[in-house]
Amino acid sequence: MRHIILPAMVAATAFAGFMGAQIAQSSSDASAQVTTPAKSFGDETVSPNPIVVELFTSQGCSSCPPADMLASRLAKDSSLLVISRPVTYWDRLGWKDTLARKENTQLQRTYASKGKTGSGVYTPQMVVNGGGGAVGSRESDIRSLVRLAKNHAGPVIETNRDDSGYVTVTIKGQSRYMAGVSLLALSSSETVQVGRGENGGRKLHYTNVVKSERNLGSWDGTSMRFKLSGEDLNVAGADKYAIIVQRPGSGPIVGAKLLDI
């Protein structure tokens, strides 16, 4: 029987919501299986910006494969930008995640410190637009978070490639707050044969895995332009690139766009 130990920061009322999740805590190991029937977002109202759904997952987490499969299905919806962010803290269970980045782990911890709905450091977890989160395989909970996120308008992001190969990203809108602008390099599909650990012997599939991310600067709430070179859009292992506009301190994501290049 698997056991789940919640971090001290997760309130008792959140316990029932995470009983299928694998929670990161230095003193113990844990995992649990969560399965949810597939559903479609196709009948929902489309937002001006795609809703960003970040999946924190791990090859060393036995409860993660259903969430990885859900991420693959959700990524087919053009109103969503699904990003997989493998984390490092389950590497100690006998298999080092080949796609994990320490930056993903730190981002999840920063999100957890905000105390939003579904906050905590656990896998699988999906965080919607840098705000509320939920167990990454519980599609009904993710649907609820997406519906809430679609109520918020954001800046308009446009891209244009010139004859020299440079891509200009233009962010239009009016806002009284600052936001950071980042370029994410993504691998649209990754398949990993896990040799050991809780998923030993399994072949796992991942969607839109972060390969690198680079800060382009800050958006000040007016119309601004950012120029990308061919080198910026030639990251090893990446075949997709996305712009993310996010308030400081890993705050809410207010704009996003998958580059059409």
Side-chain angles (χ1 to χ4, degrees):
M1 178 180 294
R2 300 186 180 95
H3 302 276
I4 297 173
I5 301 178
L6 299 177
M9 67 175 297
V10 180
T13 55
F15 181 79
F18 302 142
M19 284 300 292
Q22 194 161 343
I23 312 299
Q25 185 173 358
S26 61
S27 61
S28 60
D29 302 333
S31 65
Q33 187 73 20
V34 180
T35 58
T36 308
K39 297 179 182 178
S40 171
F41 289 96
D43 57 349
E44 301 287 357
T45 303
V46 176
S47 171
N49 286 298
I51 304 302
V52 178
V53 179
E54 296 172 287
L55 169 62
F56 295 93
T57 183
S58 173
Q59 295 166 20
C61 159
S62 64
S63 59
C64 284
D68 301 325
M69 291 188 288
L70 175 58
S72 178
R73 295 197 298 274
L74 297 184
K76 297 175 183 178
D77 186 338
S78 61
S79 72
L80 303 177
L81 175 54
V82 177
I83 299 171
S84 294
R85 290 186 174 277
V87 296
T88 58
Y89 47 78
W90 294 122
D91 288 356
R92 58 189 171 83
L93 297 184
W95 176 257
K96 185 174 181 178
D97 192 303
T98 61
L99 302 174
R101 302 172 66 249
K102 62 182 181 180
E103 293 86 354
N104 296 337
T105 302
Q106 183 56 51
L107 176 61
Q108 188 187 31
R109 287 174 175 159
T110 302
Y111 282 157
S113 71
K114 309 286 184 182
K116 301 288 186 179
T117 300
S119 65
V121 181
Y122 60 93
T123 57
Q125 181 192 43
M126 286 187 182
V127 174
V128 176
N129 267 4
V135 175
S137 53
R138 294 188 175 177
E139 189 168 351
S140 61
D141 293 344
I142 305 303
R143 284 178 64 89
S144 296
L145 291 170
V146 167
R147 282 194 294 270
L148 290 173
K150 285 181 177 177
N151 292 329
H152 303 284
V156 175
I157 304 172
E158 299 175 348
T159 58
N160 179 66
R161 183 189 288 272
D162 62 27
D163 293 338
S164 62
Y166 280 87
V167 173
T168 299
V169 177
T170 303
I171 303 177
K172 299 179 180 179
Q174 292 185 343
S175 173
R176 289 174 292 182
Y177 57 76
M178 298 284 290
V181 181
S182 298
L183 173 69
L184 270 63
L186 308 172
S187 173
S188 59
S189 180
E190 295 275 354
T191 299
V192 178
Q193 181 71 49
V194 180
R196 298 183 304 279
E198 293 192 353
N199 288 312
R202 301 183 68 173
K203 185 178 289 187
L204 305 181
H205 303 278
Y206 299 92
T207 302
N208 293 342
V209 179
V210 176
K211 290 297 184 180
S212 74
E213 47 195 317
R214 176 190 162 201
N215 178 37
L216 299 179
S218 297
W219 176 57
D220 64 5
T222 64
S223 181
M224 297 185 69
R225 292 181 178 180
F226 300 88
K227 203 165 188 177
L228 306 178
S229 68
E231 184 178 353
D232 294 326
L233 303 173
N234 190 31
V235 174
D239 58 0
K240 286 184 178 181
Y241 296 85
I243 294 294
I244 302 294
V245 182
Q246 187 167 22
R247 296 189 68 174
S250 302
I253 294 174
V254 297
K257 183 178 178 64
L258 189 63
L259 300 187
D260 183 17
I261 58 174

